[in-house]
Amino acid sequence: MCSTRDSSETAPCLLSAGQRRSRPYYFAEVRRPGEPSLVIPLAYKGNHSDSVTSAEQPASASAHAEAVHIGRWSETPGLLFSTQLPTDGGTMTVHALQAPGSGGRSYPAEGREANLDAKPAQENVMSDIRPPTEGPVAPEPVRGRHVQPKDYAWFRGSPAHATAAGLMAFTGSGHAIARHLTDRQGRKRFTGLEHAADMSIQDAAHVLFGNEYVGAGHVFRLNGPRVEAFSGMDEDVFRLLARGDVEEYRALVRASRHVRPRLTFDEGWGGPVSVHADGSVFALRLLPEQDRDAMSRLRGA
């Protein structure tokens, strides 16, 4: 599961880990209030070779993106990427290929509008993609997953809850993560005892740029000096997701998307701080009484 931005959110693939078949690596959700979300399957490859290799990789990546159809047959848009990273230290190049389409939107069905504040539902979506029938004999199904209108209400909630679970993982709050997962996604893994020896736990709170953030603290060595890292979320955003107010969280993130992002040195914290539009934060600082030269290097990072 992945991070979220203002206009897009990502969700885990619909296929279970036990099924050995192609599937998208991510779903990007582009949303606007009052309109059905546009969900785009993403697939990517990478290489340390040349542009010839990069030209071939979108073809193999397309099998992953096309493994899920949302709406009408063969109308789901997709994004394919091939990242070229030379071994000689040259410039990294990202090749992108867009597959246009009129599908990908989970239009609400009458009487089945999604309630994002409800706990995620564990649906059993039938396997296989079914091409349209153009004659007396129905064509053979194609391997993959086909999200059809009857599944739209469930599918709309999947990216929202997966994103919420990912953000809660960033704070280390196991019980808040479990609130947004189904049993098949591993909900029970986060409902037991939370202990620092077993996992990152929500055990820290800091004021950064005048705002309260809650999350998890970590200490490690960075080329010798001991460094403290803090990952967390804006306290107000955290409270919303912890109690399941996903709709209000999404509205808050959209309203603050232009003012929240920040990347600079916070003198009060004593190190660089990165705040994202979704309310998540990551901060670094040297532990007290560390070498001043190391502090200068951290400030200039």
Side-chain angles (χ1 to χ4, degrees), residues 187-199:
R187 182 186 64 84
K188 294 181 180 179
R189 166 68 176 79
F190 301 98
T191 56
L193 176 66
E194 296 181 357
H195 193 279
D198 180 55
M199 61 192 301

Side-chain angles (χ1 to χ4, degrees), residues 20-269:
R20 296 182 178 276
R21 59 176 66 180
S22 297
R23 80 241 4 229
Y25 297 156
Y26 292 100
F27 289 131
E29 181 192 13
V30 183
R31 55 190 173 85
R32 182 177 296 173
E35 298 182 13
S37 297
L38 172 63
V39 179
I40 305 173
L42 307 180
Y44 57 86
K45 302 280 185 175
N47 67 84
H48 295 287
S49 187
D50 51 27
S51 58
V52 175
T53 302
S54 292
E56 297 172 349
Q57 288 188 325
S60 60
S62 67
H64 297 271
E66 294 173 7
V68 171
H69 285 213
I70 304 169
R72 298 195 315 177
W73 156 264
S74 197
E75 285 293 335
T76 306
L79 286 173
L80 310 176
F81 298 94
S82 173
T83 301
Q84 182 182 329
L85 186 62
T87 57
D88 59 3
T91 303
M92 181 178 70
T93 304
V94 178
H95 304 266
L97 182 64
Q98 177 187 9
S102 60
R105 295 192 181 274
S106 52
Y107 291 95
E110 183 177 354
R112 297 200 64 184
E113 178 59 77
N115 177 12
L116 300 187
D117 292 342
K119 291 185 178 181
Q122 183 165 289
E123 298 286 349
N124 294 314
V125 179
M126 294 299 293
S127 301
D128 298 331
I129 301 170
R130 297 190 173 275
T133 300
E134 298 180 352
V137 180
E140 291 293 323
V142 179
R143 295 184 65 181
R145 286 290 189 272
H146 199 161
V147 181
Q148 302 185 59
K150 63 183 179 61
D151 308 312
Y152 284 169
W154 160 77
F155 186 71
R156 180 172 177 260
S158 296
H161 282 290
T163 298
L167 288 173
M168 293 295 95
F170 204 57
T171 69
S173 178
H175 290 284
I177 296 171
R179 170 63 177 77
H180 300 282
L181 297 178
T182 65
D183 288 343
R184 205 178 294 152
Q185 290 174 315
R187 182 186 64 84
K188 294 181 180 179
R189 166 68 176 79
F190 301 98
T191 56
L193 176 66
E194 296 181 357
H195 193 279
D198 180 55
M199 61 192 301
S200 295
I201 63 172
Q202 183 198 340
D203 61 353
H206 295 286
V207 176
L208 304 170
F209 305 127
N211 295 324
E212 294 277 352
Y213 291 89
V214 297
H218 317 267
V219 176
F220 59 94
R221 288 193 177 276
L222 184 62
N223 294 329
R226 290 188 301 157
V227 175
E228 178 183 3
F230 171 69
S231 63
M233 288 189 65
D234 180 282
E235 185 177 28
D236 292 337
V237 176
F238 175 83
R239 301 303 174 201
L240 289 175
L241 289 180
R243 64 174 181 252
D245 292 339
V246 177
E247 293 279 15
E248 188 174 349
Y249 149 74
R250 285 157 72 98
L252 177 60
V253 167
R254 180 174 178 80
S256 59
R257 67 191 186 280
H258 296 310
V259 298
R260 195 188 299 276
R262 197 165 182 180
L263 175 59
T264 187
F265 196 94
D266 185 338
E267 295 292 345
W269 161 258

